[in-house]
PDB file of all heavy atoms in Angstrom:
ATOM      1  N   TYR A 128     -32.793   1.502 -20.903  1.00 97.00           N
ATOM      2  CA  TYR A 128     -33.650   0.801 -21.822  1.00 97.00           C
ATOM      3  C   TYR A 128     -34.604  -0.144 -21.140  1.00 97.00           C
ATOM      4  O   TYR A 128     -34.724  -1.303 -21.302  1.00 97.00           O
ATOM      5  CB  TYR A 128     -32.819   0.028 -22.805  1.00 97.00           C
ATOM      6  CG  TYR A 128     -31.946   0.903 -23.524  1.00 97.00           C
ATOM      7  CD1 TYR A 128     -30.511   1.057 -23.258  1.00 97.00           C
ATOM      8  CD2 TYR A 128     -32.496   1.879 -24.401  1.00 97.00           C
ATOM      9  CE1 TYR A 128     -29.804   2.057 -23.888  1.00 97.00           C
ATOM     10  CE2 TYR A 128     -31.682   2.800 -25.170  1.00 97.00           C
ATOM     11  CZ  TYR A 128     -30.364   2.930 -24.751  1.00 97.00           C
ATOM     12  OH  TYR A 128     -29.599   3.899 -25.449  1.00 97.00           O
ATOM     13  N   TYR A 161     -35.572   6.496  -8.998  1.00 94.00           N
ATOM     14  CA  TYR A 161     -35.035   6.896 -10.271  1.00 94.00           C
ATOM     15  C   TYR A 161     -33.578   7.553  -9.999  1.00 94.00           C
ATOM     16  O   TYR A 161     -33.547   8.636  -9.431  1.00 94.00           O
ATOM     17  CB  TYR A 161     -36.043   7.745 -11.118  1.00 94.00           C
ATOM     18  CG  TYR A 161     -35.431   8.444 -12.192  1.00 94.00           C
ATOM     19  CD1 TYR A 161     -34.832   7.795 -13.226  1.00 94.00           C
ATOM     20  CD2 TYR A 161     -35.317   9.835 -12.340  1.00 94.00           C
ATOM     21  CE1 TYR A 161     -34.363   8.381 -14.427  1.00 94.00           C
ATOM     22  CE2 TYR A 161     -34.810  10.463 -13.366  1.00 94.00           C
ATOM     23  CZ  TYR A 161     -34.266   9.815 -14.432  1.00 94.00           C
ATOM     24  OH  TYR A 161     -33.768  10.489 -15.317  1.00 94.00           O
ATOM     25  N   TYR A 194     -38.817  -1.401 -24.523  1.00 94.00           N
ATOM     26  CA  TYR A 194     -38.258  -0.122 -24.893  1.00 94.00           C
ATOM     27  C   TYR A 194     -38.192   0.033 -26.396  1.00 94.00           C
ATOM     28  O   TYR A 194     -37.666  -0.775 -27.130  1.00 94.00           O
ATOM     29  CB  TYR A 194     -36.871   0.104 -24.357  1.00 94.00           C
ATOM     30  CG  TYR A 194     -36.605   1.428 -24.116  1.00 94.00           C
ATOM     31  CD1 TYR A 194     -36.787   2.199 -22.806  1.00 94.00           C
ATOM     32  CD2 TYR A 194     -35.849   2.185 -25.117  1.00 94.00           C
ATOM     33  CE1 TYR A 194     -36.487   3.529 -22.731  1.00 94.00           C
ATOM     34  CE2 TYR A 194     -35.402   3.614 -24.962  1.00 94.00           C
ATOM     35  CZ  TYR A 194     -35.795   4.226 -23.785  1.00 94.00           C
ATOM     36  OH  TYR A 194     -35.460   5.608 -23.504  1.00 94.00           O
ATOM     37  N   LYS A 225     -25.937   6.722 -30.375  1.00 93.00           N
ATOM     38  CA  LYS A 225     -26.341   8.009 -29.709  1.00 93.00           C
ATOM     39  C   LYS A 225     -25.393   8.583 -28.747  1.00 93.00           C
ATOM     40  O   LYS A 225     -25.252   9.802 -28.639  1.00 93.00           O
ATOM     41  CB  LYS A 225     -27.558   7.508 -28.747  1.00 93.00           C
ATOM     42  CG  LYS A 225     -28.963   7.701 -29.592  1.00 93.00           C
ATOM     43  CD  LYS A 225     -29.919   7.508 -28.681  1.00 93.00           C
ATOM     44  CE  LYS A 225     -31.140   8.194 -29.050  1.00 93.00           C
ATOM     45  NZ  LYS A 225     -32.300   8.026 -28.084  1.00 93.00           N
ATOM     46  N   SER A 237     -25.387  10.769 -19.202  1.00 96.00           N
ATOM     47  CA  SER A 237     -26.437  11.866 -18.970  1.00 96.00           C
ATOM     48  C   SER A 237     -25.933  12.780 -17.823  1.00 96.00           C
ATOM     49  O   SER A 237     -25.512  12.347 -16.733  1.00 96.00           O
ATOM     50  CB  SER A 237     -27.756  11.263 -18.480  1.00 96.00           C
ATOM     51  OG  SER A 237     -28.268  10.385 -19.349  1.00 96.00           O
ATOM     52  N   GLU A 278     -32.541  20.597 -26.008  1.00 98.00           N
ATOM     53  CA  GLU A 278     -32.516  20.758 -27.500  1.00 98.00           C
ATOM     54  C   GLU A 278     -33.367  21.929 -27.923  1.00 98.00           C
ATOM     55  O   GLU A 278     -32.890  22.748 -28.797  1.00 98.00           O
ATOM     56  CB  GLU A 278     -33.048  19.391 -28.244  1.00 98.00           C
ATOM     57  CG  GLU A 278     -32.730  19.527 -29.709  1.00 98.00           C
ATOM     58  CD  GLU A 278     -33.126  18.178 -30.410  1.00 98.00           C
ATOM     59  OE1 GLU A 278     -32.998  17.143 -29.802  1.00 98.00           O
ATOM     60  OE2 GLU A 278     -33.296  18.292 -31.525  1.00 98.00           O
TER      61      GLU A 278
HETATM   62  N1  EPU B 401     -34.471  13.527 -26.996  1.00 61.02           N
HETATM   63  C1  EPU B 401     -34.387  14.810 -27.532  1.00 61.02           C
HETATM   64  N2  EPU B 401     -33.219  15.237 -28.007  1.00 61.02           N
HETATM   65  C2  EPU B 401     -32.150  14.585 -27.795  1.00 61.02           C
HETATM   66  C3  EPU B 401     -32.170  13.130 -27.285  1.00 61.02           C
HETATM   67  C4  EPU B 401     -33.525  12.707 -26.818  1.00 61.02           C
HETATM   68  O1  EPU B 401     -35.390  15.645 -27.768  1.00 61.02           O
HETATM   69  O2  EPU B 401     -31.053  14.940 -28.102  1.00 61.02           O
HETATM   70  C5  EPU B 401     -35.939  13.284 -26.548  1.00 61.02           C
HETATM   71  C6  EPU B 401     -36.638  12.270 -27.460  1.00 61.02           C
HETATM   72  O3  EPU B 401     -37.985  12.617 -27.492  1.00 61.02           O
HETATM   73  C7  EPU B 401     -36.488  10.941 -26.787  1.00 61.02           C
HETATM   74  C8  EPU B 401     -36.450  11.208 -25.357  1.00 61.02           C
HETATM   75  O4  EPU B 401     -35.760  12.480 -25.310  1.00 61.02           O
HETATM   76  O5  EPU B 401     -37.616  10.079 -27.281  1.00 61.02           O
HETATM   77  C9  EPU B 401     -35.828  10.165 -24.491  1.00 61.02           C
HETATM   78  O6  EPU B 401     -34.432   9.977 -25.145  1.00 61.02           O
HETATM   79  P1  EPU B 401     -33.561   8.674 -24.844  1.00 61.02           P
HETATM   80  O7  EPU B 401     -34.335   7.570 -25.123  1.00 61.02           O
HETATM   81  O8  EPU B 401     -32.230   8.878 -25.454  1.00 61.02           O
HETATM   82  O9  EPU B 401     -33.437   8.697 -23.204  1.00 61.02           O
HETATM   83  P2  EPU B 401     -33.156   9.848 -22.142  1.00 61.02           P
HETATM   84  O10 EPU B 401     -34.324  10.049 -21.255  1.00 61.02           O
HETATM   85  O11 EPU B 401     -32.438  11.072 -22.852  1.00 61.02           O
HETATM   86  C10 EPU B 401     -32.346   8.050 -20.431  1.00 61.02           C
HETATM   87  C11 EPU B 401     -31.187   7.906 -19.443  1.00 61.02           C
HETATM   88  C12 EPU B 401     -29.995   7.266 -20.237  1.00 61.02           C
HETATM   89  C13 EPU B 401     -30.448   5.970 -20.783  1.00 61.02           C
HETATM   90  C14 EPU B 401     -31.590   6.180 -21.726  1.00 61.02           C
HETATM   91  C15 EPU B 401     -32.120   4.907 -22.323  1.00 61.02           C
HETATM   92  C16 EPU B 401     -31.456   9.588 -17.593  1.00 61.02           C
HETATM   93  C17 EPU B 401     -30.948  10.753 -17.108  1.00 61.02           C
HETATM   94  N3  EPU B 401     -30.794   9.064 -18.851  1.00 61.02           N
HETATM   95  O12 EPU B 401     -31.925   9.108 -21.271  1.00 61.02           O
HETATM   96  O13 EPU B 401     -28.983   7.049 -19.206  1.00 61.02           O
HETATM   97  O14 EPU B 401     -29.317   5.356 -21.400  1.00 61.02           O
HETATM   98  O15 EPU B 401     -32.670   6.735 -21.039  1.00 61.02           O
HETATM   99  O16 EPU B 401     -32.825   4.292 -21.295  1.00 61.02           O
HETATM  100  O17 EPU B 401     -32.370   8.971 -17.163  1.00 61.02           O
HETATM  101  C18 EPU B 401     -26.917   7.799 -18.153  1.00 61.02           C
HETATM  102  O18 EPU B 401     -27.674   7.706 -17.129  1.00 61.02           O
HETATM  103  O19 EPU B 401     -25.737   8.233 -18.244  1.00 61.02           O
HETATM  104  C19 EPU B 401     -27.767   7.397 -19.410  1.00 61.02           C
HETATM  105  C20 EPU B 401     -27.058   7.665 -20.597  1.00 61.02           C
END
Side-chain angles (χ1 to χ4, degrees):
Y128 305 103
Y161 164 63
Y194 203 89
K225 273 189 151 184
S237 300
E278 185 170 343

